Amino acid sequence: MEEDTGLARDQWATRFGFVMALVGAVVGSGNIWRMPYVAGMNGGGAFLVIYLVLLYLIAVPGLMAETLLGRYTQRGVIGAFKNFLGEGWSEGLGLVVVIVNIGLMSYYAPVIAWTIYYLAHAVLGTFYQPGFDPTAFWAAFSGSPLLVVGLHTLVAVLVGFVLLFGISDGIERVVKWMIPALVVTLSAVAIKGLTLPGAMEGLAFAFNPEWKYMTDANTWIAALGQALFSTGLGWGIALTYGSYLGKNDDVPLGGGLITAVGNTSIGLLAIFTVFPAVFAFGLEPTTGAELTFVSLVSIFPSMTGGYIWGLLFFLGFLFATYSSGLGITEVGVTTVKEETRLTRTQSVIAVVGAWWLLGIPSAYSSEFLGWMDFMFGNFGLPLATLMILILVGWVIDSKRARILDLNHNSDVYIGSYWDPIIKYVIPTVMVFIMGYYFATNIEDPRAISGLALMVGLTIGSILLMQFIRRGKTNEPALTPGGD
């Protein structure tokens, strides 16, 4: 386990390890689970065109900004805000990002638990038993409180165990083989899918744009959400992982372009995996989240060698979700260790314990999970992203950040086009997302709750950090020789 010696901060041992960790953290279920069904619901190829534009216009520059903030300060989320704005209220802004992150992980952990359960039954061959009903199987599983909470607890143990070993000996050691294995497993299933009768119809649906969707505002909103969700922009992951880079390590290439290419490639692999099989067996490509846990499960028994393909698919899915869980949780662990007197082991227990406890209702109820996803996905993550990008774009100044830090020792030169994207475009988009979802769901109690929660969280965090700092200022100084 990582020793809390108080000496030099842990660092990534290799660029490959950092890139694999960041790709693994951002790819998650956002690409394997969410990408195919969101594309299916929004015009297939038209959605992909818009998604790629927004990914490289908004998400990639944002990832670079977040990563450089971590590399420059060599601190976690709260430390990064404190570095430029001083102690007190500014630390509350960093605390908001951490709390949003823990809230996100609280309902993401049950998704990892679902994947473990389905992988276990893929190994046992349950899906291939005579009379197996995937809809009834899902209903029985999700309706078993002890089982889902137990698996939620198992996820907490598995995530916490790796994080106890730190960055280079924990996260990096795991993701260096897990992410390449993810690519191999998805590629194998995708190749098999392309050999199925009717597979080309699935590819045509995915890659031939229905141009009417290009003028549909809902498609643009969905593509924007996918670009942000699938890259983890604003989650604090890129900032935290970037803080473990050396001062001379490259940001634009590793923290932006390679991560985006890896993220997109795995998303496309997921589409190659899902759509050919869906069309080959006459299923509806717009069935939403059930596409993975119900529809695909019904396909594997009908495929030649279906046991192997089902096993590989859910193994790859687990690799993706688990590596994301490591990255999301590390945000809180790094910050808690830096800002308190806790050791890393104690910090891991505190952060994992927090999202485990907060996540029990989401593990117990898919409806509550959906409520959390709506609030944190549509209000929490845009708010966190807004705070990080305002820090880089306005407090530091995007032009100054680019010239003095982003392009420092970089293999890829980033031009002045980056400056207004960070300073104006992304913050405006974040405000738009929150406003859009509130305005279009104004009668939905989730929208009112989500907006109220984030406003209250921001004000409360600022006041809390002010109170803590004021208390420390008023503490009597220790003097040598005192009693």
Side-chain angles (χ1 to χ4, degrees):
M1 297 184 189
E2 183 188 86
E3 296 290 334
D4 292 294
T5 61
L7 299 177
R9 208 164 182 270
D10 197 0
Q11 285 192 346
W12 301 104
T14 62
R15 174 190 282 188
F16 179 75
F18 164 69
V19 172
M20 289 299 98
L22 192 52
V23 169
V26 303
V27 72
S29 65
N31 277 320
I32 299 180
W33 168 43
R34 199 172 187 269
M35 180 84 154
Y37 87 74
V38 173
M41 295 171 68
N42 291 279
F47 170 87
L48 289 179
V49 171
I50 299 171
Y51 163 76
L52 289 173
V53 170
L54 296 176
L55 176 71
Y56 288 95
L57 177 65
I58 294 177
V60 172
L63 273 181
M64 292 180 187
E66 192 175 329
T67 306
L68 82 82
L69 186 58
R71 185 187 67 171
Y72 180 83
T73 61
Q74 298 285 288
R75 303 289 288 175
V77 176
I78 291 179
F81 279 86
K82 183 166 55 176
N83 187 88
F84 290 101
L85 294 171
E87 295 182 344
W89 69 271
S90 66
E91 295 172 283
L93 302 180
L95 181 60
V96 170
V97 178
V98 174
I99 294 175
V100 167
N101 195 272
I102 292 174
L104 169 70
M105 187 60 193
S106 75
Y107 68 85
Y108 188 78
V111 178
I112 306 176
W114 301 347
T115 311
I116 292 175
Y117 186 72
Y118 271 72
L119 175 60
H121 281 277
V123 173
L124 295 173
T126 304
F127 308 145
Y128 315 98
Q129 299 297 324
F132 173 76
D133 183 346
T135 303
F137 180 79
W138 169 254
F141 166 57
S142 59
S144 176
L146 288 178
L147 180 58
V148 293
V149 173
L151 286 170
H152 176 63
T153 304
L154 176 61
V155 171
V157 172
L158 294 175
V159 169
F161 177 74
V162 170
L163 294 183
L164 289 175
F165 292 88
I167 298 299
S168 57
D169 290 335
I171 297 174
E172 183 171 1
R173 184 172 292 180
V174 170
V175 298
K176 281 172 68 174
W177 65 265
M178 187 173 282
I179 303 308
L182 162 64
V183 174
V184 170
T185 55
L186 281 185
S187 298
V189 180
I191 291 170
K192 172 62 180 177
L194 292 175
T195 67
L196 297 173
M200 293 304 106
E201 185 181 350
L203 292 184
F205 174 82
F207 295 105
N208 288 341
E210 293 187 51
W211 297 113
K212 65 178 182 179
Y213 283 95
M214 298 290 285
T215 57
D216 187 337
N218 290 325
T219 301
W220 282 85
I221 293 292
L224 176 61
Q226 180 63 27
L228 298 175
F229 188 88
S230 67
T231 55
L233 177 60
W235 298 12
I237 298 173
L239 189 161
T240 302
Y241 277 4
S243 75
Y244 292 102
L245 288 170
K247 285 289 189 178
N248 292 317
D249 286 336
D250 178 276
V251 168
L253 193 60
L257 295 175
I258 294 179
T259 300
V261 170
N263 174 70
T264 305
S265 299
I266 292 176
L268 292 176
L269 267 179
I271 288 176
F272 275 107
T273 300
V274 172
F275 281 155
V278 165
F279 275 83
F281 288 91
L283 299 179
E284 177 57 52
T286 59
T287 53
E290 292 184 358
L291 194 62
T292 298
F293 292 104
V294 176
S295 298
L296 283 179
V297 171
S298 69
I299 288 175
F300 292 127
S302 303
M303 296 172 62
T304 303
Y307 177 88
I308 296 297
W309 306 121
L311 181 62
L312 288 176
F313 176 79
F314 282 107
L315 183 62
F317 197 7
L318 177 60
F319 288 164
T321 54
Y322 180 68
S323 60
S324 290
L326 293 176
I328 297 169
T329 307
E330 181 58 39
V331 175
V333 171
T334 292
T335 299
V336 169
K337 181 176 181 294
E338 288 178 351
E339 303 301 327
T340 69
R341 297 176 181 178
L342 298 181
T343 65
R344 181 173 181 88
T345 298
Q346 293 168 334
S347 299
V348 169
I349 293 172
V351 174
V352 171
W355 63 246
W356 173 82
L357 185 62
L358 186 61
I360 290 177
S362 292
Y364 180 81
S365 168
S366 296
E367 182 179 352
F368 186 85
L369 187 152
W371 189 292
M372 291 286 286
D373 185 39
F374 186 92
M375 291 193 301
F376 281 88
N378 297 328
F379 297 101
L381 291 178
L383 177 64
T385 305
L386 179 64
M387 291 178 175
I388 292 174
L389 270 294
I390 286 178
L391 181 60
V392 177
W394 290 88
V395 177
I396 303 174
D397 185 72
S398 54
K399 181 178 180 180
R400 179 170 175 262
R402 175 179 58 85
I403 294 173
L404 298 181
D405 190 84
L406 183 63
N407 284 323
H408 172 67
N409 206 40
S410 172
D411 293 331
V412 177
Y413 179 80
I414 302 300
S416 59
Y417 65 88
W418 187 84
D419 305 346
I421 292 176
I422 301 303
K423 195 165 190 174
Y424 301 109
V425 176
I426 300 180
T428 301
V429 168
M430 295 305 110
V431 173
F432 169 77
I433 289 175
M434 290 186 283
Y436 174 84
Y437 278 105
F438 182 75
T440 56
N441 297 277
I442 196 165
E443 296 182 359
D444 190 331
R446 297 178 304 174
I448 299 173
S449 300
L451 188 60
L453 176 63
M454 295 311 147
V455 171
L457 178 61
T458 302
I459 296 173
S461 296
I462 291 173
L463 293 177
L464 175 62
M465 295 310 297
Q466 283 277 59
F467 176 78
I468 291 174
R469 288 304 172 192
R470 187 178 296 116
K472 289 186 175 182
T473 301
N474 293 333
E475 287 180 357
L478 297 176
T479 56
D483 292 334

